[in-house]
Amino acid sequence: MLKRPDPLYDFLEYTTITDIPTSVQETAKLWLMDLIGVAAAGHATDLSRIISDHATRHFGAGQAISKLLFDGRTTSPAGFALAGGMTIDSIDAHDGYRPAKGHVGCALLPGLLAFAQTTKMSGEEFLTLFVMGYEIGSRAGRALHATVPDYHTSGAWMAPTVGALGARALGLSNEQARHAIGIAEYHGPRSQMMRVIDHPTMLKDGSGWGAMAGVSAAYLAADGFTGAPAVSFEDAPEFFADLGSTWLTCEQYYKPFPVCRWAQPAVSATLRLRAEHNLTSDQVDYVEVTTFHEALRLATKSPRTTEEAQYSTSYPTAAALVRGDVGVAEISEDAFSDPEVTRLSEGMVIAESDECNRRFPAERISEVTLHLRNGEVLCSGIATAIGDPEDPPSATEMTDKFKTLAEPILGAVLCTDIQTSIQSVDKNLSALIDIITQPIAR
């Protein structure tokens, strides 16, 4: 195999909780809360039910046993990672990293929890690995896209990231870690992202499959299975040179709405225009959106499933104008028959511009123009999505989002217990795991 890039493997082997700034640890705890809130909301989806049933039927637990999130049934660590990643991904409200055009946390958390349930992992080690996952995964996404021509889903570069964390969790040598990463990258889901943008289904962003591949790869490496060099790690060491000095955990973006990030600038702009001008939707004749090419490809205007609603630009923008918010209710099937949302979504004019395209993916921008029935025209100007790292949400905003997503599923008492456990997760990991793996009625 190729010579390892020392910064990556040194970071993987030697980093401890004392090397991670307190501010980064606190940010990581907020991402942990956010992901658990999204998982709770996702637990109510058909996608989560199907994949959880699949994991319990087809990923039988052997000596290593994991309990599914909010389910309690047991499966293998790989089955847990698959079901957990897809449950979180079923509600498109989790964190993301702009330069990688994807998401770290969605695969990271279930992959790490799979190992945490089957090893004697301490709370400090869990929090350390959670931060390391954001640091390695963010860089792995950039490296993969720099070394291959295709635009792959997040699972493609999170598979080797989870494999790397698994190598440390299982106490593997550096040589075994290289094999774990190589196995995971080779077997990870090299799924084309734009295919699921054009045809929204339960496939989503490949995160569950990537987490599963990463977990399996670490166990295979532990048993002596060998892997080819991981191109995105071995061929692009420059992306990992600043590990431990630049903390990308704090460079993730926050999603206030459970729809694709590419649609969120238009949603944010519409909500702002609605509030500033005290508008009701019946005052609006039609909506015009100028955006970047990838957001234009979110083309479903009359969704039939929650997946189609989440991968749309026009539908959530119309829902924002009609309802004044875009939450889980707006992407659920009961909302799809709203005639006013349908009118505005189907009549929406969406175009791409050179300026919006030029600034993607470093920036995701859109401009919304409302054409009113009285002939007046209201323009938002260039709008960005809420929650970019340059203007991060407050801890209160993230807590409010967690409660909004989780309380309808878990209840207020359990949500409070989860928040308390997260704050002390570095001292008592088992308390958090016990809470989030207890069975909750769908």
Side-chain angles (χ1 to χ4, degrees), residues 233-252:
F233 282 60
E234 305 282 0
D235 286 7
E238 66 273 14
F239 287 101
F240 302 93
D242 63 345
L243 278 167
S245 59
T246 301
W247 296 96
L248 300 185
T249 302
C250 301
E251 296 297 320
Q252 311 300 305

Side-chain angles (χ1 to χ4, degrees), residues 48-132:
S48 178
R49 174 185 56 79
I50 292 168
I51 201 65
S52 296
D53 289 347
H54 176 83
T56 57
R57 287 198 302 263
H58 300 289
F59 287 76
Q63 293 179 332
I65 299 174
S66 300
K67 288 184 177 180
L68 293 174
L69 287 173
F70 303 118
D71 189 299
R73 290 179 291 175
T74 58
T75 184
S76 67
F80 175 92
L82 172 66
M86 295 190 78
T87 291
I88 296 172
D89 214 9
S90 69
I91 299 291
D92 203 347
H94 42 82
D95 59 69
Y97 181 59
R98 288 178 305 188
K101 297 185 289 185
H103 313 276
V104 174
C106 187
L108 166 61
L109 179 58
L112 186 54
L113 284 172
F115 295 116
Q117 290 192 67
T118 53
T119 65
K120 296 179 180 179
M121 188 180 292
S122 69
E124 282 192 354
E125 178 72 350
F126 174 84
L127 187 57
T128 300
L129 289 176
F130 190 62
V131 172
M132 289 171 65

Side-chain angles (χ1 to χ4, degrees), residues 149-413:
D150 288 8
Y151 173 19
H152 292 112
T153 62
S154 303
W157 38 273
M158 283 308 297
T161 300
V162 171
L165 300 179
R168 169 154 163 167
L170 298 177
L172 305 188
S173 67
N174 275 345
E175 184 66 17
Q176 289 174 306
R178 289 167 61 206
H179 286 297
I181 293 168
I183 295 164
E185 189 196 61
Y186 189 83
H187 284 152
R190 290 297 183 94
S191 36
Q192 297 84 9
M193 186 68 224
M194 296 311 295
R195 182 185 300 181
V196 80
I197 295 298
D198 293 336
H199 305 282
T201 66
M202 292 181 181
L203 291 172
K204 303 302 287 283
D205 197 33
S207 296
W209 219 263
M212 176 190 69
V215 169
S216 296
Y219 280 108
L220 282 168
D223 290 337
F225 201 91
T226 59
V231 172
S232 58
F233 282 60
E234 305 282 0
D235 286 7
E238 66 273 14
F239 287 101
F240 302 93
D242 63 345
L243 278 167
S245 59
T246 301
W247 296 96
L248 300 185
T249 302
C250 301
E251 296 297 320
Q252 311 300 305
Y253 62 71
Y254 159 86
K255 295 178 73 173
F257 314 114
V259 297
C260 181
R261 185 65 168 182
W262 301 344
Q264 297 208 12
V267 171
S268 300
T270 299
L271 288 172
R272 189 174 72 249
L273 285 174
R274 186 182 190 273
E276 287 175 352
H277 298 277
N278 195 28
L279 290 172
T280 56
S281 63
D282 62 313
Q283 296 173 266
V284 178
D285 183 18
Y286 72 96
V287 180
E288 184 179 356
V289 176
T290 303
T291 187
F292 49 96
H293 175 76
E294 286 77 3
L296 180 69
R297 294 271 288 274
L298 298 168
T300 301
K301 292 195 171 185
S302 296
R304 297 162 298 172
T305 66
T306 183
E307 288 78 29
E308 291 181 347
Q310 292 175 57
Y311 283 143
S312 169
T313 293
S314 62
Y315 174 80
T317 302
L321 185 56
V322 174
R323 297 180 171 226
D325 191 19
V326 178
V328 173
E330 281 66 46
I331 60 166
S332 301
E333 292 183 9
D334 288 347
F336 299 160
S337 59
D338 187 318
E340 183 68 348
V341 175
T342 299
R343 175 182 75 84
L344 289 166
S345 180
E346 291 186 345
M348 197 169 298
V349 177
I350 306 178
E352 61 185 287
S353 76
D354 292 341
E355 177 68 5
C356 293
N357 285 332
R358 183 185 65 79
R359 292 167 66 173
F360 178 82
E363 297 177 84
R364 289 94 186 275
I365 60 172
S366 297
E367 187 171 28
V368 172
T369 303
L370 303 182
H371 296 263
L372 305 189
R373 295 184 188 276
N374 65 6
E376 189 177 358
V377 176
L378 305 175
C379 185
S380 68
I382 293 296
T384 60
I386 296 171
D388 280 342
E390 295 82 8
D391 186 22
S394 66
T396 299
E397 288 174 304
M398 293 189 72
T399 299
D400 289 345
K401 175 191 168 185
F402 168 77
K403 291 178 179 178
T404 298
L405 291 175
E407 282 190 358
I409 308 299
L410 307 179
V413 173

